[in-house]
Amino acid sequence: MAGLYLHIPFCAKRCIYCDFYSNTDMGYKEACIAALLSEMDIRHNYLQGEMVETIYFGGGTPSRLQPRDLEKLLDGIYRIFPVSDHPEITLEANPDDLSDSYVSSLKNLPVNRISIGIQSFDDRELRLLNRRHTAQEALRSVARCKNAGWTNISIDLMYGLPEQTMEIWLHTIDKAIELDVSHISAYNLTYEEGTVIYKMMECKKLKLVEDELCEQFFRKLTEKLTSAGFIHYEISNFAGRSAFYPDGRISLHNSSYWNGTRYLGLGPSAHSYDGKSRSRNVSSISGYIGAINNRSGELYETEVLDERARYNDFIITRLRTMWGVSLDELRREFGKERERYFLEKSEAFMCYNMLKKQGDFVKVTSEGIFVSDAIMRELIVL
């Protein structure tokens, strides 16, 4: 099993919190699509012939591409890579791009999962974040997708926003539950250096939410979503249950990042992982196109992972999930000495009910999840 990620860097305008690489100049579109297709040819051996089970269009805003553009890229993927009979194919989209005609055209493609960046159902918060849609437009976008026959719909939410209150956050959660979507991702706002919101924070232009209140937001989120039948399968991700998916409609592509699956990232700033190394493409659309077309400059830089780095990645990614760390896999991959180290370091957290051992697995408990970052820092090798 392997995954493909395509970074579509185009945005109509940048959100103030975003630190992903993006570009508002759609004049690069055709050259970028051609470069993506060329990169598929150049790096087609990266996955070593493994079957592609997941394809993910991320960004940026992939819904800035027209369905015919997506069709061209998908044709290239199916021509160059071995793709399974029933892959999960996800398209990230902004609510305001999901018009009736756009959604209808998407149904002619093999895209079978839509991930909608809603973030909030409060218009004041949306304006602050520089989002292009309103709360009502977000609701209508989900309705359009459902009416067109989409059954695998995910939405993104954010909490810990400046001046956010529990009342506002509960309203957003309740609206998300009412939508009856198959998946919800919810992220605590982070102030990444270099972003507009980081500069606003430095200039004291924002009233920040205290960490204690953010923890309360997260507790309410998990409480209400699990009560509504969602499975909390990763720190920030919740999968809805249905008759066909009693174990939850888990994102297969995102799960590949947490279980060590190989994936190839295509496009400017895209990351790749082959089990032994990580690579990252150049974070410039002009630099990316130039590297592809003229072989001028480096397309990507590679970090070969030593045993310590692979062990740390293994612990951090596995503990983010409800499945936790498999001691058998840990032993096979890193030896008995590393297993012994992990268990010794875990012992204190088990005593305080922050970690638990179930059979061959060590997992973060419902209490430990609120301090999971601190737990992981103690379990890795420095």
Side-chain angles (χ1 to χ4, degrees):
M1 173 180 172
L4 278 178
Y5 172 83
L6 288 84
H7 189 77
I8 309 300
F10 303 110
C11 287
K13 61 181 181 179
R14 284 185 63 82
C15 302
I16 65 171
Y17 58 86
C18 183
D19 71 331
F20 291 115
Y21 175 72
S22 65
N23 192 298
T24 57
D25 186 353
M26 290 297 290
Y28 281 108
K29 187 185 80 165
E30 295 301 330
C32 186
I33 291 172
L36 282 163
L37 292 168
S38 295
E39 189 183 4
M40 293 179 199
D41 276 320
I42 293 168
R43 304 187 71 187
H44 72 278
N45 286 326
Y46 185 84
L47 299 175
Q48 299 180 19
E50 285 193 40
M51 188 69 69
V52 172
E53 299 277 356
T54 65
I55 301 167
Y56 195 102
F57 291 90
T61 311
S63 55
R64 294 293 290 163
L65 296 186
Q66 292 303 306
R68 63 179 178 274
D69 302 320
L70 297 167
E71 182 179 22
K72 190 181 297 185
L73 291 169
L74 285 163
D75 285 346
I77 290 170
Y78 275 85
R79 174 175 57 83
I80 294 168
F81 298 97
V83 180
S84 70
D85 291 338
H86 302 287
E88 176 193 85
I89 305 179
T90 302
L91 176 75
E92 287 185 352
N94 273 8
D96 45 305
D97 289 330
L98 294 173
S99 64
D100 285 328
S101 59
Y102 193 92
V103 170
S104 177
S105 295
L106 284 181
K107 290 300 292 182
N108 297 320
L109 302 177
V111 174
N112 50 34
R113 185 173 183 269
I114 299 287
S115 178
I116 307 175
I118 290 175
Q119 315 313 347
S120 173
F121 288 105
D122 181 86
D123 284 337
R124 186 199 66 81
E125 290 185 340
L126 292 170
R127 286 192 297 270
L128 169 67
L129 296 175
N130 204 31
R131 301 294 292 174
R132 289 185 284 141
H133 63 275
T134 65
Q136 282 301 313
E137 286 169 339
L139 295 171
R140 287 194 292 267
S141 71
V142 175
R144 286 192 195 100
C145 289
K146 285 190 164 190
N147 291 338
W150 297 93
T151 59
N152 198 357
I153 301 171
S154 177
I155 63 173
D156 285 355
L157 305 176
M158 295 186 79
Y159 60 94
L161 306 180
E163 298 186 38
Q164 190 171 51
T165 64
M166 182 61 77
E167 181 182 8
I168 292 172
W169 179 229
L170 290 177
H171 170 75
T172 286
I173 298 172
D174 289 341
K175 284 295 182 184
I177 291 171
E178 288 173 15
L179 286 175
D180 192 27
V181 292
S182 59
H183 190 278
I184 296 174
S185 297
Y187 303 100
N188 190 4
L189 173 66
T190 56
Y191 294 80
E192 300 290 349
E193 192 169 353
T195 60
V196 173
I197 201 169
Y198 181 88
K199 295 172 184 173
M200 293 170 71
M201 176 188 69
E202 283 195 316
C203 296
K204 313 294 185 186
K205 293 183 177 179
L206 299 172
K207 184 179 179 181
L208 306 189
V209 173
E210 297 292 333
D211 289 344
E212 184 178 335
L213 183 54
C214 284
E215 182 178 320
Q216 292 176 29
F217 288 157
F218 186 70
R219 287 182 182 273
K220 277 297 180 184
L221 172 75
T222 56
E223 174 189 313
K224 291 181 77 67
L225 290 188
T226 52
S227 294
F230 285 83
I231 296 173
H232 190 192
Y233 71 98
E234 193 271 343
I235 289 175
S236 303
N237 288 275
F238 301 79
R241 288 189 179 97
S242 68
F244 290 107
Y245 295 92
D247 296 324
R249 200 75 183 267
I250 289 167
S251 167
L252 300 180
H253 184 85
N254 288 344
S255 295
S256 69
Y257 298 144
W258 307 314
N259 64 26
T261 299
R262 295 173 188 266
Y263 58 89
L264 171 61
L266 305 167
S269 83
H271 291 244
S272 303
Y273 173 72
D274 66 0
K276 297 179 181 178
S277 67
R278 298 188 183 280
S279 64
R280 178 179 178 175
N281 285 1
V282 60
S283 294
S284 159
I285 192 165
S286 58
Y288 171 73
I289 293 169
I292 291 288
N293 295 342
N294 308 316
R295 304 296 193 267
S296 59
E298 292 293 327
L299 173 59
Y300 56 86
E301 57 183 21
T302 298
E303 175 195 5
V304 177
L305 303 175
D306 59 17
E307 191 267 355
R308 180 187 62 83
R310 290 191 300 107
Y311 168 81
N312 289 346
D313 280 355
F314 178 86
I315 297 302
I316 291 170
T317 54
R318 300 313 193 274
L319 281 181
R320 288 186 63 89
T321 71
M322 67 177 185
W323 304 285
V325 171
S326 164
L327 295 177
D328 178 63
E329 187 180 4
L330 172 59
R331 196 163 48 245
R332 282 188 285 106
E333 290 292 325
F334 304 101
K336 291 184 178 180
E337 191 60 36
R338 280 283 187 248
E339 179 193 19
R340 190 157 42 246
Y341 172 88
F342 172 74
L343 288 173
E344 287 174 358
K345 289 284 189 177
S346 300
E347 191 172 343
F349 295 108
M350 291 183 188
C351 290
Y352 286 97
N353 195 35
M354 300 292 181
L355 292 175
K356 62 183 177 182
K357 188 172 182 292
Q358 288 187 335
D360 189 53
F361 291 83
V362 174
K363 309 175 182 182
V364 176
T365 65
S366 56
E367 283 302 311
I369 200 167
F370 300 108
V371 291
S372 57
D373 285 347
I375 294 173
M376 293 171 194
R377 283 196 296 271
E378 291 297 317
L379 298 179
I380 62 176
V381 178
L382 299 176

